[in-house]
Amino acid sequence: MNILGTFTRLRSLSLLRHLSNCNDSTCLHVLSNSVTWLIYLEQGKIIYATHSVEPFDRLERHLRRLDQQLSALSSDIRVQVRLMFETDQSNLSGDSSLEKFPEQPPEYQAICWLVSQRHINPTQAAILIQEMVKEVLESFSLINTGNYKLINIVNKLPIICRIDTEKILGMCEQQLRGWQSLGPYISSPYQRPYLRVPTEVLKHKLSAIHQNLTNWMKGFSLRHLAVIVNQDEVEMVRQLYPYINSGEIVLHEPDPPFDKLPKVHEKSSDADDYITETNNQLPIQARVSNGAVTQRVIGTNNITVPQQQPQNEVIRQTVPETRSAPTPTPPKSTSEPQSDRKIYKIVSVDDSPTVLREISRFLEHENFSVVTINDPVKAVMSIIRNKPDLILLDLNMDGIDGYELCKIIRNNSMFKKTPIIMVTGNKGLVDKVKARLVGASGYLTKPFTQADLLKIVFMHLT
């Protein structure tokens, strides 16, 4: 039986804590400002949490973090996951009826698949889940008003880990205090920084933070930038803060749909380190020592994942802990030598001159060399001649469609590993499956912004 209700200011955390203290097993469904949050609890512990704003973008970012820390999986596997599991229903609409919400979120199914196929082990999956849950709960804790339902889930999630609710909320609140210390200019992790005047002097100063930071500061959010340069997001913003304060860096508001998420505002609560626990299926002992969370898998005999169970294993892994300092400070004066950045060559095939012009405009000022082809029949020879690092391929063209052209390109041994991105106005699952069958690496849906284009190019070239 589903229970419905509403909450007002500062009640979202109270509601979650109440469910946790009662050792409930349920799914808390919350709707606020057209954004949906789903928090899955089992006997008062959090199994998983997600919200409707770009869940596969969130998975992609945290998989990259995991890969940078543990060398867990390749870019090809991350792309395959999106092609297999991301659907139009992945981004839950706040207007959707309850029946349309998946009992098992597609990105959680993707994580289970990664475990079942042994691309990541259960410990890595537990680390991945706890970091994604922490990010979701940060935004959840900022909700002022909303509606909620308690949903009785029939087909319960395969349990990879259990997360202590009170302790992870304490960590979320600590992270939020880090963001709030960067006010008044920082109101969202999804604000997008740009250089007001990209002088060589300023670029040299910013190279102290990361040598290629300014190359990506053209549409990516603060949160996405931190993943690109592999830094803690609050610490990176803290180092950018003096330049934001001086006006040398300007912040644009979050792109849709990230603008729907609640803004950071002052909240206070005692913070604590949190421990991810597991049941008998995946017991993990976790402790905090010397600034790192150390986790040890004791056994994985009975972990529940689709199709295949992981082998028994004993693994010890250390993952850096994210911490936030209370006040902004200027970047350190030391700088690393700046190396020359490779100029990537991108070929764009489309029978629309307008689309080709836009793609060229979006990319040519970002240190990419762009070759445009408006005759798909002649595209293969031109691609062989130019030997691009990445190919953008329109799906619907006169003479030959994108599927056939992609298949022809893939049959050439020279381009077996070259990323091929299908550019299409179709959002259907069938089109994505067909694209994967002919060897496409990913897809970009029209209409797209410069940030959308840069993100997918970044995904495959960095």
Side-chain angles (χ1 to χ4, degrees):
M1 179 177 179
N2 298 329
I3 301 174
L4 286 71
T6 61
F7 56 83
T8 56
R9 185 170 177 79
L10 301 180
R11 294 295 301 279
S12 58
L13 292 186
S14 298
L15 177 60
L16 181 55
R17 284 187 167 109
H18 173 74
L19 294 173
S20 177
N21 292 335
C22 292
N23 293 320
D24 275 359
S25 296
T26 186
C27 175
L28 173 59
H29 167 288
V30 174
L31 175 62
S32 178
N33 194 31
S34 300
V35 178
T36 299
W37 282 261
L38 295 172
I39 302 175
Y40 297 82
L41 296 109
E42 182 74 21
Q43 297 178 348
K45 302 289 186 181
I46 296 175
I47 304 304
Y48 187 63
T50 186
H51 62 59
S52 57
V53 177
E54 298 293 345
F56 274 85
D57 174 87
R58 185 163 57 253
L59 175 61
E60 167 72 19
R61 283 187 284 105
H62 287 283
L63 282 174
R64 283 179 172 273
R65 288 284 197 194
L66 191 68
D67 188 42
Q68 290 159 348
Q69 294 168 356
L70 303 174
S71 300
L73 70 167
S74 67
S75 174
D76 289 344
I77 297 300
R78 295 198 303 270
V79 171
Q80 184 180 355
V81 162
R82 295 192 77 149
L83 288 170
M84 288 175 61
F85 292 95
E86 187 176 25
T87 65
D88 294 340
Q89 285 74 39
S90 298
N91 300 320
L92 306 176
S93 167
D95 298 326
S96 296
S97 65
L98 181 61
E99 288 72 18
K100 292 184 180 180
F101 293 126
E103 291 191 337
Q104 298 190 5
E107 77 275 17
Y108 192 85
Q109 296 177 39
I111 295 170
C112 291
W113 180 82
L114 288 169
V115 174
S116 72
Q117 299 300 307
R118 301 180 185 176
H119 295 301
I120 59 177
N121 62 47
T123 303
Q124 293 167 339
I127 296 168
L128 175 66
I129 289 170
Q130 69 185 20
E131 292 305 307
M132 293 177 67
V133 168
K134 184 162 72 74
E135 179 181 316
V136 168
L137 292 182
E138 285 172 19
S139 62
F140 176 79
S141 67
L142 294 170
I143 300 173
N144 286 333
T145 61
N147 301 314
Y148 76 87
K149 302 180 181 76
L150 298 181
I151 305 172
N152 182 25
I153 299 297
V154 178
N155 299 315
K156 294 186 177 181
L157 299 184
I159 298 176
I160 294 176
C161 61
R162 288 182 169 90
I163 302 174
D164 186 288
T165 303
E166 192 60 40
K167 292 181 179 179
I168 196 172
L169 287 178
M171 181 62 84
C172 293
E173 290 167 345
Q174 180 178 336
Q175 181 79 349
L176 284 172
R177 285 200 296 274
W179 283 109
Q180 290 152 6
S181 72
L182 299 168
Y185 300 107
I186 308 299
S187 62
S188 169
Y190 297 101
Q191 287 174 285
R192 297 167 293 124
Y194 290 82
L195 299 183
R196 184 181 293 276
V197 180
T199 64
E200 292 303 315
V201 173
L202 180 57
K203 289 181 179 179
H204 178 71
K205 289 179 181 178
L206 292 174
S207 69
I209 303 173
H210 188 277
Q211 61 180 9
N212 290 323
L213 179 62
T214 58
N215 293 327
W216 296 110
M217 204 180 290
K218 296 164 183 174
F220 288 102
S221 73
L222 295 168
R223 177 157 277 167
H224 289 86
L225 274 176
V227 176
I228 295 172
V229 301
N230 193 22
Q231 293 190 20
D232 171 65
E233 54 192 24
V234 173
E235 181 58 32
M236 184 199 73
V237 178
R238 183 174 293 112
Q239 295 182 73
L240 292 176
Y241 192 85
Y243 305 102
I244 297 170
N245 190 34
S246 67
E248 294 171 282
I249 293 177
V250 295
L251 293 174
H252 292 198
E253 287 304 296
D255 267 335
F258 297 104
D259 59 337
K260 292 291 186 181
L261 291 170
K263 297 293 190 293
V264 175
H265 62 275
E266 192 59 38
K267 293 169 70 80
S268 62
S269 177
D270 292 335
D272 194 3
D273 300 314
Y274 69 91
I275 298 173
T276 297
E277 303 174 352
T278 62
N279 66 355
N280 294 332
Q281 294 176 312
L282 180 60
I284 294 180
Q285 293 177 343
R287 60 184 175 85
V288 176
S289 175
N290 298 326
V293 178
T294 303
Q295 297 185 312
R296 185 169 183 267
V297 174
I298 306 303
T300 59
N301 308 42
N302 301 314
I303 182 170
T304 307
V305 291
Q307 299 179 3
Q308 178 179 345
Q309 293 182 333
Q311 290 179 328
N312 301 338
E313 51 188 337
V314 178
I315 300 173
R316 187 174 183 84
Q317 295 167 324
T318 302
V319 183
E321 179 190 9
T322 301
R323 288 231 178 239
S324 305
T327 55
T329 56
K332 298 177 181 179
S333 59
T334 56
S335 63
E336 53 184 308
Q338 187 163 358
S339 59
D340 293 333
R341 185 186 176 209
K342 177 181 178 181
I343 304 297
Y344 290 102
K345 180 180 285 187
I346 297 176
V347 164
S348 177
V349 184
D350 199 302
D351 57 2
S352 167
T354 302
V355 173
L356 292 176
R357 280 196 301 271
E358 283 298 288
I359 289 176
S360 295
R361 183 173 66 85
F362 284 163
L363 293 177
E364 284 181 341
H365 296 298
E366 312 299 333
N367 290 332
F368 295 106
S369 171
V370 182
V371 177
T372 60
I373 303 172
N374 63 2
D375 186 349
V377 177
K378 300 178 181 178
V380 175
M381 292 307 299
S382 182
I383 289 170
I384 292 172
R385 186 165 56 251
N386 284 282
K387 298 179 177 63
D389 298 294
L390 181 143
I391 300 167
L392 296 168
L393 194 57
D394 185 51
L395 187 59
N396 300 309
M397 296 181 290
D398 292 333
I400 183 172
D401 68 22
Y403 296 125
E404 185 64 27
L405 189 53
C406 180
K407 187 175 180 180
I408 293 171
I409 295 169
R410 276 286 183 247
N411 285 336
N412 189 313
S413 59
M414 188 185 304
F415 303 110
K416 288 291 185 185
K417 298 293 185 180
T418 304
I420 301 177
I421 309 302
M422 306 299 281
V423 183
T424 173
N426 300 328
K427 297 182 179 180
L429 179 61
V430 173
D431 298 293
K432 294 174 183 177
V433 171
K434 287 178 64 177
R436 180 168 174 264
L437 289 175
V438 296
S441 309
Y443 52 89
L444 179 64
T445 304
K446 298 177 184 176
F448 54 84
T449 65
Q450 182 181 30
D452 294 331
L453 181 58
L454 286 174
K455 284 173 189 174
I456 198 162
V457 168
F458 146 73
M459 183 191 299
H460 294 278
L461 291 183
T462 64

